[in-house]
Every structure is written in C-alpha cells, then in structure tokens.
Amino acid sequence: MGAAALTSTGRIYRAAGADDAAFHYRYPVGGVLQQTARRIGEGDLAVRARVAGSDEIRALADDFNAMADRLQRYRASTLGELLEAQSALHAAIDSLPDPVLVVGPSGDLRDVNAAAERLLAPGLGAAKSPTLDLLPEPVRSAVAAARDRVLRVG
C-alpha cells in the first residue's frame, strides 16, 4: 500500500500511488454524528454535525443537519401555537364574570381569573406558586373535593 497521512482530526488521506483496492478512508464521523444526535436528543436543536468532504458521509451529515433544521422549525412553530392558545384560553377565562380556578392534579393553581381573585382571595394571582392553601377554608374544601371527584372519574 502507498503512503498515507493522518491529520489531527483523525482523517487518513491517500497519498499518490496508494493502492485503491487495499486502502480505505477512516472518518471520525461516527463520533461527530453520535455526539450531535445525543445533543439533539437532549433538546439542543441548534447543534449541527460538521463533517468535511464531498462524499456520501458528507451527504449523510447534510441530511442529518436538514433533519435538525426541520425539528427546530417545528418546535418553534409548535411553541408559538401553544403560547397563542394558552393566551387565548387565559383571556377567555379572565373575561368570565364568575370566579374560575384552574387547578392541577397536585392542587397547584394553574390559572385564576380576576373575579376569583377579587371575591375569593385578593392577591392570589400575584402569588409566586399559588396553591389551594391560599384559599379561605370553605372554598378550599369545596375546590379540593371537586378536584378529587374529577381525578376519580376522569
């Protein structure tokens, strides 16, 4: 086999006169794509695989990066739609004249409209982590019972 040069990135280049049948290139691409896939799996959709060359490995990295681009655009559009829906829901709840409390399964208050805050517990909406404990006792018991009933029935 002819001479070859190993670069600092781990790529082996074929020197003039090397026997093509007995020589193959080694790419550090497995590690690059693996690390990029791991970071995307952890939620970093801005990361991209950087692989030099103009062969099928480069084409694979390009396709991989195109997939990451599509995932990033999908996440951005889905998040925007979710925030818009959440804002519309909050506006609808807040516009109701009757008190409305949106309670999570663990008793955390997810949303409180202006009527609920005004009639049941002033300052409730401004609390950092509002819970049922902030409500006056007759209301707290009634809301807890309703939550338990919903969790039981589904």
Side-chain angles (χ1 to χ4, degrees):
M1 183 163 100
L6 178 63
T7 68
S8 62
T9 62
R11 179 176 281 185
I12 298 177
Y13 289 95
R14 164 176 65 102
D19 181 4
D20 287 332
F23 190 88
H24 39 284
Y25 296 94
R26 295 180 186 252
Y27 294 91
V29 71
V32 171
L33 289 177
Q34 184 179 25
Q35 181 64 23
T36 304
R38 183 177 298 118
R39 288 185 51 196
I40 288 173
E42 293 168 352
D44 181 2
L45 297 182
V47 69
R48 297 294 179 268
R50 305 274 185 239
V51 178
S54 60
D55 54 7
E56 64 188 52
I57 299 298
R58 172 61 184 216
L60 175 63
D62 289 345
D63 287 344
F64 191 86
N65 291 335
M67 176 190 67
D69 288 339
R70 287 189 298 276
L71 286 171
Q72 192 172 27
R73 283 193 306 274
Y74 176 74
R75 176 188 274 173
S77 69
T78 303
L79 180 60
E81 291 170 7
L82 179 62
L83 291 174
E84 188 176 310
Q86 184 181 24
S87 178
L89 177 62
H90 179 71
I93 289 171
D94 205 37
S95 70
L96 296 172
D98 296 322
V100 176
L101 302 169
V102 179
V103 182
S106 64
D108 56 314
L109 291 171
R110 306 252 172 113
D111 203 353
V112 178
N113 74 348
E117 187 172 354
R118 186 176 58 255
L119 297 171
L120 303 176
L124 185 63
K128 188 170 187 166
S129 299
T131 65
L132 293 179
D133 296 334
L134 298 175
L135 297 172
E137 178 41 47
V139 175
R140 180 174 52 235
S141 296
V143 171
R147 181 200 69 212
D148 293 342
R149 201 171 33 256
V150 167
L151 291 175
R152 248 190 343 271
V153 175

